[in-house]
Amino acid sequence: MYGSDDDLGATEDLGDAPGPRVPDPVFGASDTRRGWIVAAVLTAIAAVTRFWGLNVPTDGGTPVFDEKHYVPQAWQVLTGGNWIEDNPAYGLVVHPPVGKWLIAVGEGLFGYTPLGWRFASAVVGTIMVLIVFRLTRRLSRSTLIGAVAAVFMICDGVTFVSSRVGMLDIFQIFFVLGGLAALVADRDQMRSRLHRVWTEGRIGDSPFGPRLGFRWWRFGAAVLLGLGCATKWSGIYFVFFFLLLAIGFDIANRKAYHVQRPWMGTLRRDVIPSGFSLGVVPILVYLGSFAPWFASETSVYRYEVGRSIGYDGPFSWVPGALRSLWYYEAGILKFHEGLTNSAGNHHPWESKPWTWPMGLRPMLYAVQNGPDKCGGGECIRVQMLIGTPAMWWLAFPMLLWGLWQFLLRRDWRYAVVIVAYAASFLPWFLNLDRQMYFFYAAAMAPFLIMGLALCVGDLLGADGRWREFGRERRMLGVVLASVYIGLVITNFIWLWPILTGQPISLHMWNLQMWLPSWR
C-alpha cells in the first residue's frame, strides 16, 4: 500500500540503538509475496461483507438517517453542472464538498439508488481494511499481526456500518488513516536516510545532523489530511495531533543515530518543513476543494462583499472571494455552536464522549416493523451503528497497556496508536454542551483496532521476545490469541442482523440488546 517491504526489517528497534534488525523468521514482515497474498485475501473478504446486500435498509426506497442530507446534495452536485451544492432548498450546507463528491461518483455510476449513494462508502471501507493491514504490518514488522488487525477491521461494527451508508464519516476516516500511514512511511524512510549517513561515518559532520531532503510521504500525508478537513471540519484535530507526532518522530530519529543536538537539529532541519507540509498544505487543499464554488457565478454567498460584508475594515485587503467564503463558513460555525443542550436541542440517540470508548450509547439508523414473518410472528428490521463489544469493551485496558508500553518501554508503535486515538476522542470534551452522537466516534475505530492487534502481538511475543518464552508460555499465548480472535469473529456474526437491517424476530431483537443504554 505504501513504502517497500524491503525496508520493514531495516534500522528498526524499540529503543534508540541504530543499526539493521534481522528479520524474524516467524514474525518478520520481509515476506513481500506472502504479505500481498494475505492482503488480497483479506481485502476480498472485506469487499464481500461491505457490498453484500448494500441496497438495504432504506426508508421506503429513500435514504435513511443522515443520508437524507448528503445523498440529495451529492445528486445535486452531480446534476447541477457546477459540482457544488447551490440549491437554496437545502438550507444551510454544513460540510465541505469532498465527501459529497465521492458519493456523487457512485450515483453517477449507478444512479439515484441505494447502490449508487452507498457505492463509494463501500469502496473506501474496503480499502481501509487494506490500509490497516499494511499499516499495522509496518508498525509491528509482522504479517501475522497485520492480518489480525485486518480481521478485526472486517469485524468492527462501527466501520462496517459506516461503509454501508451514504454519509461522510467513512471518507474522513479514510483520509485520516491514509495520512497516518504516510507519516509512518515517512518515519521509516527518514530512518533509512539517517542510517545511510551513519554507516558512512558522516553523522557528526554537523551537530544538528544531516538534512534529509524533500519528504514526499510527509507531503502526501498533508494532502490526505487536507482532504479529511475538506470532508468534515473535525479533520483539523488530526492535523494538530499528527504534526506533534511527526515532530516526535524526527526527534527520536535524530537521537537514535546519536546526533549531537537532536532537539535543535529537529528545530532547524525539520520543524519548518513539517510546519509547511502539515500546517499550510492542508489549508491549501481545503481551499482548493472550493474551486467550483469560487468559479461559479451562482454559488451561495459567493458575492457577499458589498452586501453582508462591507468594503472597508481591517480585512479589506483580503480578496473578496475569500472574505465571502469566510462569511459562508462563519455562518456554518454559528449554526453548529447553536446546537447545544442548553439551547433546548436534544435527540433521543445523542451521547457524550465518555460513553464512546465502550460504545455505551450506539446510534439507531433505521427501523422497520414487518411485513416479514419470523417463525409465524412479526419481524423487525433494524440497522444500528454499534461497536463490536469484544473489541470496544477492551478500549480502556488497551489504552492503559499502550501508555505503559510507550512511556516505560519507549515503544513507538503504541505512541502512534495513542496519539491517533486521542486526536479522534479528546477534542470533543472541549464543548460538552453541544449535541453529539456516537457516529462522531467512528474515527476512533481503526486506532482501537490497531492497538488491540499490537496487544495480541505482545501476547504472542511478536516484538521478538517469543524466543525468550518457554514452550508452555508460547502455547498459552497462541491459545489465548486464537480464542480472542474467534470471539471477535463470533461477536460480529451475532451482530450481523442489526448491522445490516436483516429481518429478525422481536425475541431475537431483545437478545441482541445487551445493555439498557442500547435501546
Side-chain angles (χ1 to χ4, degrees):
M1 187 64 186
Y2 59 91
S4 67
D5 287 304
D6 295 336
D7 63 358
L8 282 177
T11 70
E12 188 47 53
D13 56 275
L14 298 182
D16 290 335
R21 173 183 173 187
V22 178
D24 193 299
V26 174
F27 295 104
S30 58
D31 50 351
T32 304
R33 183 171 178 270
R34 182 174 63 179
W36 281 111
I37 291 174
V38 173
V41 171
L42 292 172
T43 304
I45 294 173
V48 171
T49 62
R50 270 60 181 167
F51 281 94
W52 185 89
L54 197 59
N55 60 327
V56 292
T58 63
D59 184 5
T62 66
V64 299
F65 191 56
D66 274 5
E67 285 186 332
K68 295 182 183 295
H69 298 293
Y70 310 121
V71 168
Q73 289 177 14
W75 183 252
Q76 201 272 326
V77 162
L78 178 68
T79 60
N82 296 321
W83 279 91
I84 54 173
E85 315 96 309
D86 55 9
N87 187 339
Y90 291 141
L92 188 64
V93 177
V94 296
H95 289 295
V98 169
K100 284 162 278 190
W101 290 351
L102 293 173
I103 295 174
V105 171
E107 292 177 336
L109 292 172
F110 302 103
Y112 196 75
T113 64
L115 176 60
W117 66 65
R118 294 168 181 165
F119 175 79
S121 297
V123 170
V124 164
T126 300
I127 297 174
M128 282 173 56
V129 173
L130 173 61
I131 296 177
V132 165
F133 168 75
R134 300 294 297 182
L135 175 54
T136 308
R137 181 175 182 268
R138 180 174 286 272
L139 288 175
S140 63
R141 273 49 183 175
S142 168
T143 297
L144 173 63
I145 303 308
V148 170
V151 170
F152 287 172
M153 190 74 172
I154 292 171
C155 296
D156 171 53
V158 170
T159 51
F160 174 75
V161 173
S162 299
S163 302
R164 293 170 56 86
V165 293
M167 292 169 57
L168 305 182
D169 304 275
I170 194 67
F171 303 119
Q172 183 191 53
I173 303 168
F174 170 73
F175 290 127
V176 166
L177 187 61
L180 180 62
L183 280 183
V184 174
D186 171 77
R187 171 198 180 272
D188 283 358
Q189 188 178 66
M190 293 308 104
R191 286 180 74 91
S192 294
R193 293 181 184 179
L194 283 165
H195 185 69
R196 183 173 62 251
V197 174
W198 181 72
T199 55
E200 293 173 356
R202 297 187 290 110
I203 202 72
D205 288 357
S206 167
F208 308 118
R211 300 182 185 275
L212 298 175
F214 191 81
R215 303 169 71 158
W216 285 105
W217 282 116
R218 183 163 292 187
F219 178 78
V223 172
L224 289 167
L225 291 174
L227 291 172
C229 294
T231 301
K232 295 186 75 172
W233 280 0
S234 53
I236 192 65
Y237 303 147
F238 294 94
V239 174
F240 290 133
F241 278 77
F242 286 5
L243 176 59
L244 295 177
L245 180 65
I247 293 174
F249 282 164
D250 291 335
I251 294 171
N253 284 347
R254 291 184 182 273
K255 289 179 65 177
Y257 283 90
H258 308 300
V259 171
Q260 296 177 36
R261 303 181 65 185
W263 288 80
M264 185 58 65
T266 298
L267 180 64
R268 296 186 59 166
R269 304 283 202 237
D270 304 316
V271 168
I272 293 179
S274 296
F276 178 80
S277 288
L278 297 176
V280 177
V281 171
I283 297 175
L284 297 178
V285 172
Y286 178 83
L287 292 175
S289 71
F290 283 90
W293 184 89
F294 287 116
S296 174
E297 295 293 321
T298 61
S299 301
V300 62
Y301 301 128
R302 175 63 178 81
Y303 294 99
E304 289 303 306
V305 175
R307 298 174 59 188
S308 305
I309 306 173
Y311 288 104
D312 54 1
F315 297 102
S316 59
W317 56 274
V318 177
L322 290 176
R323 297 181 69 192
S324 295
L325 180 63
W326 178 260
Y327 175 84
Y328 181 14
E329 302 296 87
I332 297 174
L333 179 61
K334 184 177 181 181
F335 168 78
H336 281 294
E337 289 178 341
L339 292 176
T340 60
N341 297 142
S342 60
N345 295 290
H346 297 281
H347 190 282
W349 287 95
E350 67 179 299
S351 60
K352 296 303 181 184
W354 56 79
T355 69
W356 295 348
M358 293 181 63
L360 298 181
R361 184 59 173 164
M363 279 296 305
L364 178 67
Y365 278 3
V367 59
Q368 179 184 11
N369 290 292
D372 311 280
K373 297 291 183 180
C374 297
E378 291 297 319
C379 291
I380 185 171
R381 290 175 177 264
V382 175
Q383 184 183 42
M384 296 189 71
L385 182 78
I386 187 167
T388 306
M391 290 187 288
W392 284 74
W393 288 4
L394 294 181
F396 288 119
M398 182 279 291
L399 292 171
L400 290 174
W401 176 255
L403 284 170
W404 184 84
Q405 289 286 88
F406 168 54
L407 296 176
L408 297 184
R409 296 194 67 235
R410 294 184 301 168
D411 191 332
W412 72 278
R413 306 170 304 164
Y414 284 99
V416 173
V417 171
I418 297 297
V419 169
Y421 191 95
S424 58
F425 178 51
L426 294 182
W428 297 105
F429 283 88
L430 296 176
N431 185 8
L432 292 175
D433 189 32
R434 179 183 168 181
Q435 269 189 313
M436 300 182 195
Y437 306 93
F438 184 54
F439 63 80
Y440 292 179
M444 297 159 56
F447 313 120
L448 166 67
I449 288 164
M450 290 162 53
L452 290 173
L454 291 177
C455 290
V456 171
D458 291 341
L459 185 64
L460 295 173
D463 58 359
R465 289 181 296 167
W466 72 277
R467 296 178 183 277
E468 303 172 7
F469 296 162
R471 182 176 180 276
E472 291 185 0
R473 171 61 180 83
R474 289 198 297 268
M475 289 300 299
L476 178 62
V478 170
V479 170
L480 291 177
S482 300
V483 169
Y484 178 65
I485 294 169
L487 179 63
V488 169
I489 296 172
T490 302
N491 197 181
F492 176 66
I493 294 172
W494 171 259
L495 291 172
W496 179 273
I498 63 172
L499 299 176
T500 58
Q502 300 301 304
I504 55 176
S505 67
L506 293 177
H507 174 69
M508 179 59 69
W509 159 249
N510 288 323
L511 291 178
Q512 296 276 4
M513 296 294 98
W514 289 359
L515 299 177
S517 61
W518 287 10
R519 296 179 180 273

